Amino acid sequence: GIAMSRETMIAKRDELSYLVGVDIWRWQERVGTSEKGSYARLNYYKVKPGMTAEWARMESTGWKLLAEAVAKENPGTAWRAATLAMPGGQNLPYNAMTVDAFPSWAALGKGIQARAIWNKVHPNTDMTAHMDRLATIVERPRIDVVKLIEVMGK
């Protein structure tokens, strides 16, 4: 957890940024751990109406297994899948997210050998077919890269 009071954390946040809005996310899956000072790629998704459960199932049965293998081989690598709890509404540009965390800028730049790892953890599932199916239920309108200045536990 964070070793500071709520007031100190808010003061630090306000010192580092200007808060204009807050998204509240509900984590669906968590793999690995990340540390303060590491980097994360935030993949924002717009899941089509009525397809959120299918998206979550595909992330849980598809990418999660790949993320587990990566986290096991590369400490400090993590992955999360989340759905947007608030705000809500069909007009939002995104309603789901995955987070790929890397222990360093170099590791983020290097990325992972997704297809090779996929073939190891999913020997009977074609990655292209899985990703093509995913593309029919979700769009990715935005990707951000951030440096983690604080990390909270469960």
Side-chain angles (χ1 to χ4, degrees):
I2 295 179
M4 64 179 82
S5 70
R6 178 180 182 275
E7 292 77 18
T8 304
M9 185 182 78
I10 289 170
K12 184 170 186 169
R13 177 203 67 197
D14 291 347
E15 176 185 316
L16 296 171
S17 64
Y18 178 72
L19 182 63
V20 295
V22 174
D23 290 345
I24 299 174
W25 294 93
R26 180 177 297 119
W27 296 115
Q28 303 295 323
E29 297 289 352
R30 297 177 186 203
V31 171
T33 58
S34 51
E35 301 293 328
K36 181 177 176 176
S38 58
Y39 291 85
R41 181 177 50 232
L42 311 177
N43 303 291
Y44 293 90
Y45 295 102
K46 177 75 171 183
V47 180
K48 292 183 179 176
M51 300 302 289
T52 302
E54 177 66 3
W55 173 81
R57 184 195 67 76
M58 289 189 75
E59 291 290 345
S60 296
T61 60
W63 206 261
K64 181 182 178 184
L65 298 177
L66 184 143
E68 288 171 338
V70 171
K72 186 176 180 181
E73 293 179 17
N74 301 291
T77 303
W79 174 83
R80 307 281 187 267
T83 52
L84 187 62
M86 289 181 67
Q90 293 298 320
N91 293 328
L92 295 171
Y94 53 83
N95 55 12
M97 173 197 307
T98 60
V99 178
D100 304 308
F102 298 88
S104 67
W105 183 255
L108 171 69
K110 181 180 176 188
I112 61 169
Q113 295 182 355
R115 185 165 301 276
I117 298 166
W118 180 278
N119 291 341
K120 287 180 186 176
V121 299
H122 293 291
N124 300 317
T125 304
D126 179 65
M127 182 178 183
T128 300
H130 181 86
M131 300 308 283
D132 287 349
R133 169 67 181 132
L134 197 56
T136 67
I137 64 173
V138 70
E139 296 175 3
R140 185 169 59 177
R142 178 176 167 181
I143 301 170
D144 290 334
V145 174
V146 298
K147 184 171 185 174
L148 304 180
I149 58 171
E150 288 293 345
V151 177
M152 294 189 285
K154 289 184 178 182

